Amino acid sequence: MSGYHLFLLYRCLRFPETTAIGYDNHYRKAWVEKMLQVEAKERGPCLSVISSTKSAATFFASTSLVLSSLIGAGLEAVQMISSRVFSYMVTQIHPSFLSNMLAFVSYASFLQCISSFVHANFLISMPNSDVPVEYVQMALIRGSAFWSVGLRAIYFAVTLLLWIFGPIPMFVSSVAMVVILHILDTNSASLSTGQES
């Protein structure tokens, strides 16, 4: 999974049009350009889109925090109940500790996502201002990047949790996750320049 995400990062940086992330970022930039052309008092629908995204990010942040707490409580219970040799416990628990850390990384990423979208909301709703389009675009794209990192951290955490059942379920889950993510992350549609309309 780590190798796939390094490959995805390379594609996002070098060939963004071939990824769903680059595709979405292209249309986010176009959305901001069109939205900033209307009067500030008519930007209500745009602000509601950002508001609903903030609500979803808040839900995922809470879910990540709960997941991190449950994993931590589970690790505590395993350490108290297990009567196996210490070295065996360390080997078995290590992926779960990593899973716990990834759940917390997810929580932090969703908090940063919310922060970026709040900043974008502030820039969009300012009446009679000449906010550069690039500032709003950068805030939206940064928020979306943190959103992606948060979701990917949850995917990693859940896959690592399968180590409880052994390395084979975790490996099968990792392979299935990479195949599914590759399908979802690939973009074959061409990017329009927005000049047609």
Side-chain angles (χ1 to χ4, degrees):
M1 285 184 69
S2 298
Y4 169 73
H5 282 89
L6 288 174
F7 173 67
L8 178 64
L9 179 63
Y10 170 77
R11 282 178 51 208
C12 284
L13 295 175
R14 296 294 300 241
F15 310 103
E17 70 280 354
T18 65
T19 66
I21 295 170
Y23 180 83
D24 291 343
N25 287 342
H26 174 79
Y27 285 107
R28 279 187 187 97
K29 289 178 180 178
W31 182 75
V32 169
E33 287 176 9
K34 294 286 186 189
M35 184 236 350
L36 289 180
Q37 291 174 0
V38 301
E39 293 292 323
K41 60 185 176 183
E42 297 174 5
R43 295 180 189 162
C46 303
L47 296 177
S48 67
V49 168
I50 293 175
S51 178
S52 63
T53 307
K54 287 187 298 186
S55 298
T58 303
F59 169 76
F60 280 123
S62 302
T63 303
S64 301
L65 194 58
V66 168
L67 181 62
S68 178
S69 300
L70 288 175
I71 294 169
L75 289 175
E76 191 75 26
V78 166
Q79 285 179 342
M80 290 175 57
I81 293 171
S82 180
S83 60
R84 294 193 170 43
V85 194
F86 178 74
S87 62
Y88 180 72
M89 279 179 51
V90 170
T91 315
Q92 290 295 92
I93 292 173
H94 178 67
S96 298
F97 278 119
L98 186 56
S99 179
N100 193 16
M101 292 304 299
L102 284 169
F104 190 75
V105 166
S106 175
Y107 169 72
S109 296
F110 282 118
L111 287 183
Q112 288 300 317
C113 171
I114 294 166
S115 173
S116 295
F117 281 123
V118 165
H119 182 62
N121 200 353
F122 172 74
L123 293 174
I124 290 168
S125 62
M126 285 176 33
N128 302 323
S129 68
D130 294 326
V131 176
V133 174
E134 295 81 23
Y135 287 2
V136 183
Q137 290 173 336
M138 187 172 61
L140 275 180
I141 289 174
R142 186 181 297 132
S144 300
F146 280 118
W147 174 278
S148 294
V149 169
L151 279 180
R152 301 304 167 117
I154 288 177
Y155 298 157
F156 265 91
V158 170
T159 301
L160 284 173
L161 263 182
L162 291 178
W163 180 266
I164 294 169
F165 304 108
I168 294 174
M170 187 180 80
F171 176 75
V172 170
S173 171
S174 297
V175 170
M177 187 74 72
V178 166
V179 169
I180 292 168
L181 288 176
H182 178 69
I183 292 168
L184 295 175
D185 290 335
T186 302
N187 174 47
S188 57
S190 61
L191 301 178
S192 68
T193 59
Q195 304 298 325
E196 307 80 49
S197 54

